């Protein structure tokens, strides 16, 4: 992806900044390989909560903070269980 900006210095939309190689990576899901590596070495699980920024922790209540007690996952429970 390029870092192209408009006249105001704001980033252009992803669809404009995405290179041909980037489109290839996304269409073949090769951009997921780093996450697969993290699963193999034990830093992530296949199913678990998606990782969120730690900066959001002060905004969580006690129950929401518990999501950081488990390993983050490549996919979430709702996707595996059939979100309705």
């Amino acid at each position: 992806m390029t870092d192209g900006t408009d006249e105001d210095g704001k980033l252009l939309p992803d669809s404009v900044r995405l290179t041909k190689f980037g489109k290839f990576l996304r269409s073949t899901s090769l951009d997921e390989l780093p996450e697969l590596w993290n699963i193999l070495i034990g830093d992530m699980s296949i199913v678990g909560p998606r990782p969120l920024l730690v900066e959001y922790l002060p905004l969580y209540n006690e129950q929401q903070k518990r999501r950081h007690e488990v390993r983050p996952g490549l996919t979430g429970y709702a996707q595996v269980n059939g979100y309705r």
Side-chain angles (χ1 to χ4, degrees):
M1 194 173 277
T2 66
D3 55 357
T5 57
D6 62 12
E7 309 82 39
D8 298 327
K10 295 182 181 179
L11 286 174
L12 294 171
D14 288 353
S15 59
V16 175
R17 297 184 303 130
L18 194 59
T19 63
K20 288 181 183 179
F21 182 67
K23 287 178 186 176
F24 170 75
L25 284 177
R26 285 190 177 176
S27 68
T28 58
S29 295
L30 290 175
D31 60 333
E32 300 290 340
L33 281 180
E35 290 178 342
L36 179 60
W37 175 252
N38 286 334
I39 291 169
L40 293 175
I41 64 173
D43 290 342
M44 289 180 72
S45 62
I46 294 174
V47 179
R50 295 292 289 183
L52 296 175
L53 296 175
V54 181
E55 291 85 31
Y56 293 138
L57 274 175
L59 304 174
Y60 291 169
N61 64 33
E62 290 305 312
Q63 183 179 3
Q64 292 168 330
K65 287 180 184 179
R66 296 200 63 212
R67 92 182 282 154
H68 290 277
E69 294 175 7
V70 297
R71 284 183 289 175
L74 179 64
T75 188
Y77 176 78
Q79 289 80 15
V80 172
N81 196 38
Y83 180 75
R84 293 177 201 239

